[in-house]
């Protein structure tokens, strides 16, 4: 049998019999070169450490250290096992750190979903605060319409969401915390024909090109309600998209009007932004029905998810107090 194959089989058989305490002793002796120092580091007596090392070498079937007057030196085989011992102990330390961080809500994985305005206004600031104290936390955020958010939450793919409960979902299945209503801003490119007008009637916007979310979405419904309440005809020239990037591109290259939540409009910079966009000063407020902070009653939040949930709640409360 080739020597490398023999050595591999021998080590595999030995590894099955070696304990974590054995690997700790090997690593300690390899690091310090003295059995007495290694024993002290592991809170063992020197005789107990000597007996354990003898046991380890019996399991392996070979010496791991050469004994000299000035200390102990790894054999070639000892160097192989010492490297494995250090790698194993490093993995154990990392695992224990992850366990501790998970228990404290500083580690683990959290996935949240939100409608666009809520993601920009409340979830992202909360994530920044979470990551400041928990840089190893694995955080995922998805931005989508409420029907998609609730579907994924119900399937267990989100820890919590900021959205609205659509038909036919039963609100009694969710833990509901009050969220926020969305104020809608109408954005156009900076040199749009309407951009310089100080005050605009909603009726004056019917015949322009629009880019907005698909029919039936809350933001689209709020815009249509504003037209109907003003007795104005609904816009007919509409490009439908849920993509914010597509909306921005269309705004910058056409005379289209796009309704966006105030949080998103402020993020894009409005009248002072580098994207060259402007807000239209319409004469009526456009407000979307409130979204809420939602989680499943049947699923407890992990410590990390609970921390982020609390931070989002704080952001919502802060905004409400400022209003």
């Amino acid at each position: 049998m080739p020597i490398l194959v023999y050595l591999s089989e021998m080590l595999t058989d030995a590894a099955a019999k070696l304990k974590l305490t054995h690997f700790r002793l090997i690593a300690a002796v390899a690091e310090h070169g003295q059995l007495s120092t290694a024993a002290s580091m592991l809170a063992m007596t020197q005789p107990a450490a000597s007996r354990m090392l003898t046991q380890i070498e019996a399991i392996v079937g070979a010496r791991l250290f050469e004994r000299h007057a000035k200390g102990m030196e790894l054999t070639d085989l000892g160097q192989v096992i010492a490297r494995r011992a250090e790698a194993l102990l490093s993995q154990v330390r990392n695992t224990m750190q992850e366990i501790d961080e998970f228990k404290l809500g500083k580690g683990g994985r959290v996935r949240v979903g939100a409608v666009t305005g809520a993601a920009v206004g409340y979830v992202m600031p909360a994530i920044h605060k979470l990551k400041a104290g928990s840089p190893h936390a694995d955080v995922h955020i998805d931005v989508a319409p409420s029907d998609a958010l609730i579907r994924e939450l119900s399937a267990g793919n989100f820890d919590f969401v900021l959205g609205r409960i659509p038909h036919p979902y039963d609100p009694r299945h969710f833990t509901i915390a009050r969220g926020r209503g969305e104020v809608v801003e109408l954005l156009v490119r900076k040199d749009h024909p309407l951009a310089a007008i100080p005050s605009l009637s909603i009726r004056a916007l019917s015949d322009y090109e629009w880019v907005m979310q698909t029919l039936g979405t809350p933001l689209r419904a709020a815009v249509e309600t504003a037209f109907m309440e003003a007795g104005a005809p609904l816009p007919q020239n509409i490009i439908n998209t849920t993509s914010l990037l597509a909306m921005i591109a269309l705004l910058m290259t056409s005379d289209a009007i796009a309704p966006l939540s105030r949080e998103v409009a402020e993020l894009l910079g409005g009248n002072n932004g580098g994207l060259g966009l402007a807000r239209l000063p319409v004469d009526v407020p456009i407000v979307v029905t409130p979204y809420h902070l939602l989680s499943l009653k049947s699923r407890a939040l992990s410590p990390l998810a609970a921390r982020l949930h609390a931070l989002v709640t704080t952001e919502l409360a802060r905004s409400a107090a400022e209003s």
Side-chain angles (χ1 to χ4, degrees), residues 27-97:
V29 177
E31 179 181 358
H32 299 286
Q34 297 284 345
L35 186 62
S36 58
T37 305
S40 177
M41 293 291 296
L42 299 176
M44 300 172 66
T45 64
Q46 184 169 340
S50 181
R51 287 192 300 271
M52 181 179 288
L53 184 56
T54 300
Q55 180 186 30
I56 294 168
E57 292 181 328
I59 292 171
V60 174
R63 280 187 173 275
L64 302 184
F65 296 90
E66 295 291 348
R67 280 75 168 172
H68 302 289
K70 293 184 178 180
M72 303 178 69
E73 184 178 343
L74 286 163
T75 64
D76 291 344
L77 178 61
Q79 290 179 13
V80 173
I81 296 180
R83 285 197 299 269
R84 295 297 181 91
E86 183 53 43
L88 173 64
L89 294 174
S90 178
Q91 288 182 334
V92 171
R93 287 191 293 270
N94 290 341
T95 299
M96 295 308 298
Q97 181 180 352

Side-chain angles (χ1 to χ4, degrees), residues 72-307:
M72 303 178 69
E73 184 178 343
L74 286 163
T75 64
D76 291 344
L77 178 61
Q79 290 179 13
V80 173
I81 296 180
R83 285 197 299 269
R84 295 297 181 91
E86 183 53 43
L88 173 64
L89 294 174
S90 178
Q91 288 182 334
V92 171
R93 287 191 293 270
N94 290 341
T95 299
M96 295 308 298
Q97 181 180 352
E98 287 187 21
I99 290 172
D100 290 340
E101 288 179 349
F102 182 86
K103 289 180 178 178
L104 295 171
K106 293 185 177 181
R109 181 177 186 269
V110 58
R111 185 179 175 192
V112 299
V115 294
T116 307
V120 171
Y122 309 107
V123 179
M124 289 309 304
I127 288 175
H128 287 315
K129 289 182 172 64
L130 180 76
K131 293 290 282 185
S134 306
H136 298 137
D138 186 16
V139 182
H140 299 255
I141 176 171
D142 288 9
V143 178
S146 289
D147 55 350
L149 295 175
I150 300 302
R151 182 173 63 249
E152 291 297 302
L153 176 64
S154 299
N157 296 326
F158 287 129
D159 292 289
F160 61 88
V161 303
L162 270 168
R164 303 167 180 88
I165 303 174
H167 178 79
Y169 292 95
D170 188 343
R172 291 172 294 184
H173 295 164
F174 302 94
T175 299
I176 304 172
R178 184 176 179 180
R180 297 284 291 161
E182 286 185 280
V183 177
V184 178
E185 301 279 4
L186 302 182
L187 266 62
V188 295
R189 60 184 172 83
K190 198 170 185 179
D191 55 352
H192 190 282
L194 299 175
I197 300 176
S199 180
L200 286 167
S201 165
I202 194 76
R203 298 178 61 89
L205 308 180
S206 296
D207 293 333
Y208 278 87
E209 179 182 1
W210 286 72
V211 52
M212 64 176 104
Q213 294 180 340
T214 54
L215 196 64
T217 55
L219 194 147
R220 171 80 170 262
V223 172
E224 291 172 341
T225 297
F227 275 95
M228 289 187 287
E229 289 182 348
L234 295 175
Q236 300 297 316
N237 185 0
I238 298 172
I239 298 174
N240 301 278
T241 182
T242 58
S243 168
L244 179 59
L245 181 60
M247 283 189 176
I248 294 171
L250 287 163
L251 282 175
M252 296 174 69
T253 57
S254 72
D255 283 341
I257 302 170
L260 293 167
S261 66
R262 177 168 290 170
E263 292 86 357
V264 175
E266 290 175 351
L267 178 68
L268 297 179
N271 294 330
N272 300 313
L275 293 178
L277 302 178
R279 304 184 199 185
L280 294 182
V282 292
D283 60 353
V284 294
I286 305 175
V287 181
V288 188
T289 55
Y291 51 77
H292 300 289
L293 185 55
L294 307 167
S295 58
L296 289 175
K297 287 183 177 179
S298 59
R299 183 184 180 191
L301 295 177
S302 70
L304 182 65
R307 278 190 66 210

